[in-house]
Amino acid sequence: MKKSRHQRIKELVEQFEIETQEELADRLRGDGYTVTQATVSRDIRELKLSKIPMGNGRQKYTILMQSEHYLSDKYIRVLKDGFVSMDMAQNILVVKTVSGMAMAVAAACHRRHEAERDSRLHCRGRYHYDGGENRGGYSVRHG
C-alpha cells in the first residue's frame, strides 16, 4: 500500500500544483487512500519532496532529482581532483591526497564502494599526515 501511495504522490505532484500537505492528503483520500497528516508528512520526507516557488508568490511541492549518475560523476571528479599518488604497505593501499581533500576522497571512495557493492575492497576511513607536509591519506584494505 505504501509503495502504491508513494507512486500516486509522485504522479499528483507532477500533475498538479500542490501547495500544502492538506491538499495532498485530500487528493489521496479522493483516490481512495486512507491517510492522516502524519502519514502525508512522513511520505513527503521519505520521497524527499521540496517546495519550490511558482513565480506568483506561492509554492508547490516537487521532486528534486539527484540521479545516481549525477552523484557518481561528482564522486569521480572528487577522486580525480584530490588524488596525488598511492603506495602499498603490505595488504594496505594508501592513497595520498591533496592537502585538505582526504575526507572528501575518503567519502567518494566509500560511496563508490557502496554503489559497486564490491566485497573485495573495504574502505576503513583511516586518515594520516605524511612527512609533516600535511598531505592527507586514505587507506583501503584488500580483503
Side-chain angles (χ1 to χ4, degrees):
M1 188 64 153
K2 181 177 180 178
K3 201 172 202 174
S4 154
R5 186 176 66 244
H6 279 193
Q7 183 58 41
R8 185 60 186 147
I9 289 171
K10 289 177 188 178
E11 292 167 1
L12 289 169
V13 165
E14 289 175 2
Q15 192 174 15
F16 301 102
E17 293 180 344
I18 297 179
E19 299 181 54
T20 65
Q21 290 183 10
E22 184 177 327
E23 183 182 349
L24 181 56
D26 288 343
R27 289 194 180 272
L28 287 168
R29 286 186 199 107
D31 288 342
Y33 293 94
T34 304
V35 294
T36 64
Q37 186 276 329
T39 303
V40 170
S41 179
R42 195 169 33 253
D43 288 343
I44 287 170
R45 190 172 48 253
E46 289 172 4
L47 291 170
K48 296 182 176 135
L49 297 184
S50 297
K51 280 193 166 185
I52 60 167
M54 291 191 286
N56 55 5
R58 298 170 23 207
Q59 296 182 334
K60 69 174 184 171
Y61 281 106
T62 188
I63 301 169
L64 293 180
M65 303 255 183
Q66 277 203 337
S67 72
E68 285 301 314
H69 177 70
Y70 171 75
L71 291 175
S72 178
D73 289 347
K74 279 187 151 188
Y75 291 124
I76 290 169
R77 191 177 74 239
V78 166
L79 289 170
K80 284 181 179 178
D81 292 347
F83 176 83
V84 172
S85 66
M86 62 183 148
D87 295 309
M88 285 295 295
Q90 293 182 353
N91 66 340
I92 296 176
L93 174 66
V94 178
V95 177
K96 293 184 180 179
T97 67
V98 172
S99 180
M101 290 287 291
M103 291 290 266
V105 169
C109 172
H110 185 73
R111 182 65 176 112
R112 294 293 301 158
H113 165 67
E114 283 180 347
E116 293 171 5
R117 301 283 187 238
D118 187 347
S119 61
R120 293 173 290 141
L121 294 176
H122 303 283
C123 297
R124 293 196 305 187
R126 290 193 315 163
Y127 308 94
H128 69 87
Y129 295 97
D130 184 84
E133 295 175 18
N134 203 24
R135 291 188 307 175
Y138 185 75
S139 65
V140 179
R141 178 173 51 88
H142 291 266

